[in-house]
Amino acid sequence: MKQFFSKYAAKFLIRKITLILADAFIVISAALITDFILSFSDNSISNSEMIIPIVISTVCCFAFLFIFGAYSKMWRYSKPKDYCSCIAGSIMGISSTWLFNMICTGDSVKLPYFVLHMLLTTVGVSMFRLLFRSAFIDISDKKKNSENNMRTMIIGGGQACKMLLKEIRNSQNSACCDGKTTSCYDPVCIIDDDRNKIGSSIEDVEIVGSTYDIPKFINEKDIELIIFAIPSCLEDERKRILNICSETGKPVKKLPFIGNLIFDENKPTLLNQVHDINVEDLLGRDPIKFDSREISNFIGGKVCMVTGGGGSIGSELVRQIAKYSPKKIIIVDIYENNAYDIQQELTMEYGDSLDLVTLIASVRDYYRMNQIFAKHKPQVVFHAAAHKHVPLMEASPMEAIKNNIIGTFNTATLAQFHKIEKFVMISTDKAVNPTNVMGASKRCCEMIVQYLAQQNEGCTEFVTTRFGNVLGSNGSVIPLFKRQIEQGKPVTVTHRDIIRYFMTIPEAVSLVMEAAAIAEGGEIFVLDMGKPVRIITLAENLIRMYGKVPYVDVPIEFTGLRPGEKIKEELLMDEEGLQKTSNKLIFIGKQIEIDESTFAQRLRELRDAAEKNDERLAINALHKMVPTFITPEEFNNKLINNKSHQKDASEISA
């Protein structure tokens, strides 16, 4: 505190001394100018006669300006009435000089001299403070604002860039740009791959080079922020450019896709639509588009139940279902906190316009689930309830069997018994050639749904949706990486070569809903998720998004594969083929025929072993149920050996 006051006092003293010296200069200059003007008439005085009045007037003006408070005011915040202190101080100072001169020396200095000197001094002192405020203080403010403004590189010299620059220019002296800080954008240069544009300017900002020159101009121009302003950029090109940007270590923001840019009513200005880059933007494909009309026709006016409705997938299902005017939504979840959160969210958004029922129940409890079906009579069931954490289920395999397999069997058979229109089971790519209990249990769930579909009893249509890892879901690597980076800890990756397919939560849920809309019964729907992504690349890109350098600012540690973990996931088994649907990115996997008599017997054996909590017996029964269930060591060694053989073959051919 003492240091703060000392610093403040020093700044105040410097400002006061500056004003005193300036006022002294003004008084002396006014005297000389007065004498020069009077030299054209008979009222001029000699140089010897001027010395004493100049000294006395300087001292008197300082004294009266000080008395009237001209040196104690913050002129940055001055009002018109504050200039009265300058006028009064100047008049009293020169008048006192004249009076002193009259008393001490007689009328040796003529009155016109004092009158004109008073006028010039008053104007000079007042004008200096006005200029001091408008020039020096405003320059200081501009410098301060310039320091707050982030030096920005804009990628893309098209129409979006022009609109963005106009809005930045209009907002630089107004409210903050991002609504969170006092900083705004300071456009320094533009990057565009059209060579004909290089050297030209948009809104006085020069187009300096192509995207390959980004690292060069980041350093040359001392860039602090990059804005990606090509909303309609193709996916491969966008990924290439964003990878270059991420390697610079500078924060990156972007404009949304062109459709969102035009039709987003909540963000009418372009500047408000600039947002941070999400790691999803580096996955190499556009967001999947779905046919909302089919989903609307399917959901509208129906009673929909979502098991596991409080989870990351289940809660997004509930959100999207709510948009299509269902008759009722029933949330079923065993974890009350998650169920409460989504209940409150929808209640605040929709109020009484949405008939929402939130129930705490376990899918393991057949009689409780039967009670729910009988009371609420759902027409569509989305089954998202499951244990999904691979290492945890390796440590507690009985829970995976009870919750995933028995829970799915209970829910699916009750759906058939109560004549539900459609039952949609949410599966995972870990069900394909599983190497862990969780994946094997989900493959068994797929088989249960197919088993019931094959029976062709009742009116229920059974459908399975299968997709890869979901960004941002509970258990996803992204939230873990973010926590580690934000807490200053090393980012942990299990294996250098591990790769995964990724999709966003809204994409996963839209797939589920469109699959349900177009399903006829018995299908496994698979999403074309683009190219798989190396987890190490994902970690490096995320670190760069935080403006840090991988392996330098944030270490990356390899912890080894977890129990049951694959190096590479798959979306299809060897026996499965793909059939196209109306959506070019959604396919139907060919189902493997289920031997109904053998399947039912083995399912009973698995259930009995789980109920006895006999882990060895249950896992053996699970292997019998799922013939493709192998150990992770067997799968990973086979994959690594295949890669080695391919490398050797390529070296020989070379």
Side-chain angles (χ1 to χ4, degrees):
M1 185 65 71
K2 182 179 179 181
Q3 186 178 6
F4 169 78
F5 281 115
S6 298
K7 186 177 180 181
Y8 178 81
K11 287 184 177 180
F12 183 76
L13 184 61
I14 290 171
R15 187 170 66 248
K16 185 181 290 188
I17 292 172
T18 302
L19 288 173
I20 291 171
L21 293 175
D23 289 341
F25 177 79
I26 291 168
V27 173
I28 295 170
S29 298
L32 296 175
I33 294 171
T34 298
D35 184 60
F36 176 74
I37 294 173
L38 293 177
S39 67
F40 294 101
S41 66
D42 295 333
N43 294 314
S44 62
I45 59 177
S46 65
N47 292 337
S48 60
E49 291 177 320
M50 286 180 56
I51 295 174
I52 294 176
I54 286 176
V55 173
I56 296 173
S57 61
T58 301
V59 174
C60 289
C61 283
F62 162 70
F64 280 101
L65 286 170
F66 179 82
I67 292 170
F68 285 108
Y71 298 117
S72 61
K73 298 184 184 298
M74 295 290 288
W75 290 101
R76 149 196 305 262
Y77 308 109
S78 63
K79 298 177 182 178
K81 67 178 183 179
D82 293 328
Y83 291 93
C84 292
S85 63
C86 300
I87 297 170
S90 300
I91 293 173
M92 290 299 296
I94 302 300
S95 298
S96 299
T97 303
W98 177 75
L99 184 62
F100 181 83
N101 186 72
M102 282 282 294
I103 295 172
C104 296
T105 63
D107 191 14
S108 60
V109 179
K110 299 178 181 180
L111 182 61
Y113 171 85
F114 284 107
V115 173
L116 185 56
H117 189 197
M118 181 191 301
L119 179 62
L120 292 177
T121 300
T122 303
V123 172
V125 169
S126 301
M127 286 299 296
F128 176 76
R129 277 157 177 76
L130 184 62
L131 292 173
F132 184 83
R133 178 183 183 277
S134 60
F136 292 94
I137 301 300
D138 287 352
I139 287 171
S140 175
D141 286 344
K142 286 179 181 178
K143 182 178 178 182
K144 183 178 178 181
N145 289 336
S146 178
E147 291 172 354
N148 286 334
N149 293 350
M150 298 188 73
R151 294 178 61 83
T152 302
M153 170 187 286
I154 299 177
I155 298 177
Q159 191 62 32
C161 174
K162 294 178 184 177
M163 296 167 61
L164 184 63
L165 282 172
K166 285 182 180 179
E167 291 195 22
I168 289 174
R169 296 302 189 208
N170 292 335
S171 66
Q172 278 180 330
N173 297 319
S174 59
C176 60
C177 299
D178 57 9
K180 297 179 182 179
T181 69
T182 57
S183 66
C184 294
Y185 308 124
D186 179 19
V188 174
C189 64
I190 301 170
I191 296 292
D192 197 288
D193 282 332
D194 186 347
R195 293 288 178 180
N196 295 324
K197 293 182 179 180
I198 295 176
S200 60
S201 297
I202 301 175
E203 295 291 324
D204 297 326
V205 181
E206 184 181 3
I207 300 175
V208 294
S210 71
T211 52
Y212 295 99
D213 300 320
I214 289 173
K216 169 187 172 184
F217 288 107
I218 287 288
N219 295 325
E220 283 188 9
K221 304 288 186 179
D222 194 22
I223 299 299
E224 300 173 284
L225 174 72
I226 302 171
I227 296 180
F228 184 82
I230 318 177
S232 56
C233 185
L234 297 177
E235 58 184 66
D236 290 339
E237 186 68 3
R238 182 173 66 252
K239 181 182 179 183
R240 179 187 70 81
I241 296 171
L242 290 177
N243 277 332
I244 294 173
C245 294
S246 69
E247 289 171 2
T248 66
K250 302 299 179 183
V252 184
K253 293 179 180 289
K254 70 160 192 170
L255 290 175
F257 291 96
I258 196 69
N260 296 335
L261 194 64
I262 294 172
F263 300 112
D264 191 345
E265 296 178 355
N266 295 324
K267 297 178 180 179
T269 63
L270 193 64
L271 195 57
N272 289 336
Q273 298 186 59
V274 176
H275 58 79
D276 291 337
I277 283 285
N278 299 314
V279 73
E280 300 97 288
D281 296 311
L282 298 175
L283 297 183
R285 59 177 174 81
D286 292 333
I288 308 302
K289 305 297 181 184
F290 295 89
D291 190 344
S292 59
R293 290 172 298 178
E294 282 192 336
I295 298 174
S296 180
N297 293 335
F298 168 58
I299 295 295
K302 293 184 180 177
V303 179
C304 300
M305 175 191 288
V306 181
T307 68
S312 51
I313 297 294
S315 61
E316 181 64 21
L317 263 169
V318 173
R319 290 186 193 96
Q320 292 201 24
I321 290 170
K323 295 177 182 178
Y324 294 103
S325 303
K327 182 178 180 181
K328 180 191 292 187
I329 299 179
I330 307 158
I331 298 173
V332 177
D333 204 299
I334 190 59
Y335 184 43
E336 62 185 79
N337 291 347
N338 280 351
Y340 176 79
D341 288 343
I342 186 63
Q343 178 197 48
Q344 293 304 304
E345 178 185 329
L346 293 179
T347 299
M348 285 189 287
E349 184 169 353
Y350 294 96
D352 296 334
S353 63
L354 178 65
D355 189 354
L356 180 66
V357 177
T358 305
L359 302 171
I360 304 303
S362 171
V363 292
R364 299 182 185 188
D365 189 335
Y366 181 89
Y367 298 103
R368 169 67 170 145
M369 292 302 296
N370 182 50
Q371 183 185 57
I372 293 171
F373 273 90
K375 180 177 181 180
H376 296 283
K377 297 179 172 55
Q379 296 165 276
V380 180
V381 174
F382 295 92
H383 182 53
H387 288 322
K388 306 180 184 73
H389 293 261
V390 170
L392 293 180
M393 292 305 101
E394 287 299 289
S396 305
M398 294 298 95
E399 299 307 304
I401 294 171
K402 293 174 185 176
N403 195 67
N404 295 359
I405 298 175
I406 297 175
T408 297
F409 184 80
N410 289 344
T411 310
T413 53
L414 284 169
Q416 187 181 55
F417 178 78
H418 287 277
K419 297 181 171 56
I420 305 303
E421 292 179 16
K422 283 189 180 179
F423 179 90
V424 185
M425 205 278 290
I426 297 173
S427 189
T428 169
D429 57 356
K430 293 177 176 60
V432 180
N433 299 321
T435 61
N436 49 69
V437 172
M438 195 285 286
S441 70
K442 294 299 286 184
R443 174 56 191 156
C444 190
C445 293
E446 292 181 354
M447 296 168 73
I448 290 171
V449 171
Q450 186 184 352
Y451 167 74
L452 294 174
Q454 281 182 198
Q455 289 182 331
N456 202 24
E457 296 179 3
C459 61
T460 305
E461 295 176 356
F462 290 93
V463 57
T464 298
T465 58
R466 183 192 290 165
F467 45 78
N469 293 267
V470 180
L471 288 170
S473 66
N474 297 331
S476 168
V477 295
I478 302 302
L480 173 62
F481 288 167
K482 286 184 175 180
R483 286 196 300 271
Q484 290 172 334
I485 294 170
E486 290 166 0
Q487 294 174 12
K489 297 179 179 178
V491 170
T492 55
V493 179
T494 58
H495 194 280
R496 185 177 293 276
D497 296 324
I498 197 165
I499 61 175
R500 290 290 184 267
Y501 292 95
F502 281 97
M503 65 192 311
T504 65
I505 292 178
E507 284 179 329
V509 168
S510 296
L511 166 66
V512 171
M513 296 178 70
E514 181 154 340
I518 64 178
E520 297 178 356
E523 304 99 332
I524 288 184
F525 286 89
V526 180
L527 174 66
D528 179 1
M529 302 178 66
K531 299 175 183 178
V533 178
R534 295 180 71 227
I535 299 298
I536 183 65
T537 302
L538 203 61
E540 291 169 349
N541 287 337
L542 189 60
I543 291 170
R544 293 187 185 109
M545 292 303 173
Y546 278 85
K548 301 179 184 295
V549 180
Y551 309 105
V552 178
D553 300 324
V554 180
I556 298 179
E557 296 180 355
F558 298 97
T559 58
L561 292 171
R562 299 173 299 176
E565 189 172 33
K566 282 182 177 181
I567 289 180
K568 178 183 178 181
E569 298 290 0
E570 306 160 278
L571 290 172
L572 285 172
M573 290 180 283
D574 294 337
E575 300 87 346
E576 295 176 324
L578 287 179
Q579 176 185 340
K580 292 183 179 180
T581 67
S582 56
N583 189 315
K584 66 179 182 179
L585 295 174
I586 301 177
F587 299 89
I588 299 175
K590 182 182 177 182
Q591 288 276 26
I592 302 170
E593 195 70 22
I594 301 291
D595 185 328
E596 295 184 13
S597 59
T598 305
F599 179 80
Q601 178 185 347
R602 288 178 176 172
L603 187 60
R604 282 193 294 270
E605 292 175 2
L606 180 62
R607 180 199 62 191
D608 294 342
E611 288 179 351
K612 293 176 182 177
N613 286 315
D614 189 328
E615 184 174 315
R616 183 187 62 82
L617 189 62
I619 291 178
N620 287 337
L622 189 57
H623 275 281
K624 290 181 181 179
M625 282 284 297
V626 184
T628 55
F629 182 15
I630 59 175
T631 65
E633 292 77 16
E634 183 180 353
F635 178 88
N636 292 328
N637 289 336
K638 182 179 177 181
L639 185 68
I640 292 170
N641 290 335
N642 286 341
K643 287 179 65 177
S644 299
H645 290 321
Q646 290 172 3
K647 182 178 180 181
D648 293 341
S650 64
E651 290 175 352
I652 292 171
S653 62

